[in-house]
Amino acid sequence: MGVKEIATYFFFRFSVLLWSIKGIGLLFLVFIKSPYNFFKKGNWNDTPKNANDANLGVHGNVTLQRSKLKITYVANGKRGNPLMLCVHGFPECWYSWRFQLKEFSSKYWVVAINLPGYADSDKPSELANYTAERLIDNLAEVVEALGYEKGTIVAHDWGGALVWSFASLYSSMCDKVIIMNAPHSTALRKMFGTLKQYRKSWYMFFFQLPWLPEMLMGCCDLQMFNEFFRGEESGVKNLENMTEADVDVYKHALHSWEARKCALNYYRANIGNVSPQFIERLKKSSISCPLLLIWGTEDFALSLELAALSAKVSNLVSVEYVAGASHWVQQDNPEEVNKYMWKFLN
């Protein structure tokens, strides 16, 4: 291990310690504010009404040939049309693509999956199942299991982080790629050197702890999800597009301790823990298809500069900004997002 690797290791461990203090403090404040509701847990076993909206599509699932995982999805449009595969982020599920499922079903077979660990998809227990390399290989298996050789890949947040690499490693499976509010890994590493992004990313370090992040997400009957999606700081700006009934779908998807642990494992398996073999694999690949990056300018977790930095990784990458939109850009302003998508796809 060289000097750089040693410095990175100790910086990561220091950051986990530092920002865990903030996370634990937040958990304590929630308890003090509402001690009687802290351990409250509602009945989230029944599927929320909004998730069963037939206008959004048909529920289905596939079993991946090599990993044997069951992946659930909602699909809209005619099977046999070009595939549009939609990959969600944290802490979401297929439902984050509800506006795109309807919009693009006239031309595409739009399939919005639940990533491993989310909702009704399988939840492998071992942390190794949530490494980026394993999850990217899973996405390739999904395309194959759906009966396609390639498609248009659309992704957001953690889904976007995976698809940046998927577009390099599995370029033959990509007609076009659209990523929303998710930076390329090289851009994020560069911006981690700035205090602005380092402070915004505090939760990534807190999530390295066992138990406590799951508890924070689940306390007070999953109240934290209301803060994620409808809160003044982190939530959508257009609350009409994110009602409490909409948030209930995400609560249902991650209501169990097991599901929340799986979702958090995406951070635990990848932040500060990328295998040298995977890095070498990425170095030998490159993006060879058109890629559109759509970026909501009011992202609470990711600096605006990340969009321009990400665009520099390839001359095939273009950027469209959605002014005033939050991190949840495709839900916050679906009209503008869909307009940019159609422009790019046509």
Side-chain angles (χ1 to χ4, degrees):
M1 185 181 288
V3 174
K4 183 178 180 180
E5 288 76 14
I6 293 173
T8 300
Y9 173 82
F10 281 104
F11 173 75
F12 176 72
R13 294 301 171 190
F14 168 77
S15 297
V16 171
L17 176 62
L18 175 66
W19 295 114
S20 292
I21 295 172
K22 177 176 179 176
I24 294 170
L26 179 60
L27 188 64
F28 179 72
L29 287 174
V30 173
F31 177 77
I32 293 298
K33 183 178 180 180
S34 187
Y36 298 106
N37 291 325
F38 188 83
F39 295 103
K40 181 181 178 182
K41 183 179 179 181
N43 178 16
W44 293 100
N45 293 321
D46 296 332
T47 304
K49 181 180 177 181
N50 282 25
N52 285 325
D53 185 350
N55 293 318
L56 297 181
V58 178
H59 292 255
N61 67 83
V62 291
T63 299
L64 307 187
Q65 185 175 4
R66 292 180 292 280
S67 63
K68 307 303 180 184
L69 292 176
K70 183 189 78 171
I71 299 296
T72 56
Y73 64 81
V74 170
N76 204 343
K78 183 180 179 181
R79 189 166 195 154
N81 281 350
L83 173 67
M84 177 181 283
L85 182 67
C86 300
V87 190
H88 67 82
F90 172 91
E92 301 171 275
C93 63
W94 70 268
Y95 190 72
S96 60
W97 301 107
R98 59 193 178 279
F99 296 106
Q100 289 69 44
L101 278 162
K102 292 189 291 186
E103 176 72 19
F104 295 94
S105 61
S106 60
K107 183 177 179 180
Y108 295 89
W109 189 44
V110 188
V111 179
I113 65 170
N114 290 311
L115 282 165
Y118 281 82
D120 296 326
S121 287
D122 278 348
K123 299 171 177 59
S125 58
E126 294 184 5
L127 188 64
N129 289 287
Y130 300 96
T131 62
E133 186 171 21
R134 186 76 63 86
L135 293 165
I136 291 161
D137 291 342
N138 288 162
L139 289 179
E141 288 188 82
V142 169
V143 175
E144 294 169 352
L146 292 171
Y148 285 77
E149 295 182 355
K150 62 193 309 185
T152 294
I153 315 298
V154 184
H156 170 255
D157 186 76
W158 253 111
L162 299 175
V163 168
W164 272 111
S165 297
F166 183 86
S168 294
L169 297 173
Y170 290 97
S171 58
S172 63
M173 285 188 161
C174 303
D175 283 321
K176 290 186 176 182
V177 172
I178 301 172
I179 294 175
M180 304 178 194
N181 281 72
H184 190 274
S185 57
T186 57
L188 186 58
R189 282 197 298 271
K190 184 173 182 179
M191 283 298 294
F192 259 141
T194 68
L195 182 60
K196 178 182 179 181
Q197 184 56 51
Y198 180 60
R199 293 176 63 184
K200 281 177 173 283
S201 301
W202 74 271
Y203 61 94
M204 297 184 186
F205 300 107
F206 171 60
F207 286 172
Q208 303 304 311
L209 295 183
W211 301 98
L212 295 179
E214 285 92 337
M215 183 179 294
L216 181 61
M217 288 180 67
C219 68
C220 300
D221 197 19
L222 304 166
Q223 176 61 29
M224 192 60 64
F225 284 79
N226 295 79
E227 295 299 321
F228 286 146
F229 295 110
R230 288 175 54 85
E232 184 176 351
E233 180 181 359
S234 61
V236 300
K237 307 307 176 185
N238 185 359
L239 290 176
E240 291 182 359
N241 287 343
M242 186 68 74
T243 66
E244 292 187 5
D246 293 324
V247 178
D248 284 349
V249 179
Y250 301 123
K251 290 182 179 180
H252 172 73
L254 293 176
H255 75 275
S256 70
W257 184 281
E258 180 188 20
R260 295 198 297 278
K261 180 179 179 180
C262 291
L264 290 161
N265 277 346
Y266 282 63
Y267 293 92
R268 293 163 179 161
N270 295 290
I271 306 300
N273 190 30
V274 181
S275 73
Q277 294 82 5
F278 181 51
I279 293 174
E280 286 302 312
R281 189 179 167 194
L282 284 173
K283 285 181 179 178
K284 295 176 182 178
S285 64
S286 61
I287 296 171
S288 59
C289 66
L291 189 153
L292 172 64
L293 179 60
I294 298 176
W295 201 274
T297 61
E298 300 301 315
D299 194 316
F300 74 101
L302 298 167
S303 301
L304 183 61
E305 295 87 342
L306 285 166
L309 284 173
S310 297
K312 293 180 179 179
V313 302
S314 170
N315 58 13
L316 293 172
V317 178
S318 57
V319 183
E320 296 283 6
Y321 295 96
V322 182
S326 66
H327 176 74
W328 323 103
V329 60
Q330 80 275 26
Q331 302 173 77
D332 209 346
N333 192 336
E335 295 82 6
E336 191 162 353
V337 167
N338 292 346
K339 180 186 71 175
Y340 288 139
M341 287 178 66
W342 278 123
K343 178 183 176 182
F344 176 70
L345 295 170
N346 291 331

